[in-house]
Amino acid sequence: MSRIISASLCALFVFAIGSTDASAANAAAGKAVYDASCVTCHKTGLMGAPKLGDKAAWAPRIKKGNAVLVSNATKGFKGAVGMMPPKGGNAKLTDVQIADAVAYMIK
Ligand code: HEC
């Protein structure tokens, strides 16, 4: 519990100073973003998207580092299997929301 609280406080702090330090991304907040904007592809693997909870699909991606994953999710990414649209196609999402959603997806 205290970890969750300190992670939230940390995320708030990062938000307050306008940085998008992904190490403080909030996976709990990211669930709502995922459910609204990422689930279509990342639940079923549509278009080759790595599925939520598919450790084998995520392992090589996680090795690239969180900053790369967040950047690719924000700007869009064309990989070996398909096309990840910028911000999952929802341009209204903030960089912090994307970082949170990535944290939720790889946790
Ligand atoms: C229209 C389908 C679609 C939606 C919606 C979508 N994704 Fe993706 N995403 C993909 C596909 C396809 C890939 C795999 C691309 C590849 O590796 O060829 C991918 C890959 C990724 C990766 C791995 C990138 C990498 O460098 O390996 C991340 C992180 C990611 N998506 C995050 C998100 C987040 C966060 C959202 C919601 C805000 C989202 N995606 C919504 C299709 C989608």
Side-chain angles (χ1 to χ4, degrees), residues 37-38 41-42 47 61 64 69 72 77 79-82 84 88:
S37 301
C38 320
C41 298
H42 285 277
M47 295 165 58
R61 298 178 190 274
K64 294 191 266 188
L69 295 183
N72 285 346
F77 170 69
V81 289
M84 162 71 207

Side-chain angles (χ1 to χ4, degrees), residues 6-88:
S6 64
S8 312
L9 286 175
C10 205
L12 279 175
F13 176 69
V14 166
F15 189 72
I17 61 173
S19 157
T20 54
D21 181 356
S23 62
N26 185 338
K31 183 180 188 307
V33 180
Y34 169 84
D35 285 343
S37 301
C38 320
V39 70
T40 325
C41 298
H42 285 277
K43 184 166 195 274
T44 58
L46 191 71
M47 295 165 58
K51 289 192 232 171
L52 184 71
D54 183 343
K55 293 211 182 316
W58 279 104
R61 298 178 190 274
I62 290 168
K63 281 205 189 108
K64 294 191 266 188
N66 196 63
V68 174
L69 295 183
V70 172
S71 166
N72 285 346
T74 306
K75 294 178 191 150
F77 170 69
K78 173 124 186 45
V81 289
M83 225 278 287
M84 162 71 207
K87 298 189 173 181

